Amino acid sequence: MSTRHEPLQIGAPPGRLSDWAIMPLHYNGFTDLPTTKGAEVRSPEFSCFGHQWRLLIYPGGDNDSNNGRVAQRLLNETEKCIYVEFKFIIKHPNGSGLDFCRGDDGEISKFTPKSSEAVGVAGPCHGFDNFALRSTLLDYLVDGTLIVEVHMRTNKPGHQSSSFVPENPFLRNALTDFGNEET
């Protein structure tokens, strides 16, 4: 006789993620932002999924960026951990060209509290050292403004991934053996 167990979910199953929350950020006068490597421009804080966030953009790239590349990161400004799938989209200005997108890989990132240090792939800040060539982004400006859409989604409330807890057969065995005189 065989016993069929319920399927064990590993990671976030499809369909249990929230809808995308989209925050458009307008970097007015993008060409006038500092292009020194490592110079950071922080967006004002915005709220999503009960957390405060900022978008960090490095128009001249971060220290680890390749020359001519813009770096971009999403920063958790809250003292709580959250798992989020995110991507950055820059729409083509006339709507007929290709949109520019990074982060559309379906990966869920662990954003640790803002005061924590990054450990492995978990940290308060996630993004791309080499998000795009600056020269490419200049072609996406709308009246001198770079419009970055931050798309985010997380597990739906009440559907957080549960950790694996193996079944304990003691109770089932005790009940089976309760009336058995041979045991």
Side-chain angles (χ1 to χ4, degrees):
M1 179 160 111
S2 61
T3 304
R4 183 161 187 86
H5 294 274
E6 290 296 316
L8 177 63
Q9 301 293 331
I10 300 156
R16 293 193 176 198
L17 291 174
S18 66
D19 290 334
W20 287 104
I22 302 169
M23 173 56 71
L25 300 165
H26 291 226
Y27 287 90
N28 299 309
F30 179 76
T31 56
D32 298 328
L33 296 178
T35 57
T36 307
K37 205 167 199 174
E40 171 187 281
V41 177
R42 288 178 170 236
S43 75
E45 283 188 2
F46 59 94
S47 181
C48 190
F49 304 121
H51 286 248
Q52 293 300 114
W53 304 89
R54 286 186 196 269
L55 184 64
L56 312 179
I57 191 166
Y58 302 77
D62 197 7
N63 296 328
D64 296 329
S65 301
N66 296 336
N67 288 335
R69 295 277 181 166
V70 173
Q72 202 162 261
R73 294 193 179 87
L74 184 61
L75 173 64
N76 177 18
E77 289 280 14
T78 307
E79 285 298 338
K80 287 174 47 182
C81 181
I82 186 171
Y83 291 84
V84 172
E85 180 183 350
F86 72 97
K87 60 186 172 183
F88 304 130
I89 296 178
I90 299 173
K91 304 266 186 191
H92 195 276
N94 64 18
S96 63
L98 293 174
D99 295 338
F100 192 86
C101 180
R102 286 282 187 273
D104 198 10
D105 55 9
E107 291 293 318
I108 296 180
S109 300
K110 180 179 181 180
F111 285 84
T112 57
K114 73 175 183 176
S115 60
S116 64
E117 295 291 323
V119 178
V121 296
C125 194
H126 291 273
F128 307 94
D129 286 333
N130 296 299
F131 174 70
L133 283 169
R134 180 177 168 77
S135 58
T136 300
L137 294 183
L138 293 176
D139 293 335
Y140 283 76
L141 300 182
V142 177
D143 297 326
T145 300
L146 180 68
I147 302 169
V148 180
E149 289 184 353
V150 179
H151 292 235
M152 303 167 65
R153 65 182 180 174
T154 189
N155 288 321
K156 288 182 181 176
H159 289 91
Q160 298 294 326
S161 298
S162 58
S163 58
F164 172 67
V165 179
E167 178 185 346
N168 184 347
F170 174 77
L171 182 59
R172 185 181 63 230
N173 292 341
L175 290 173
T176 303
D177 293 341
F178 181 69
N180 188 345
E181 293 180 9
E182 294 177 9
T183 57

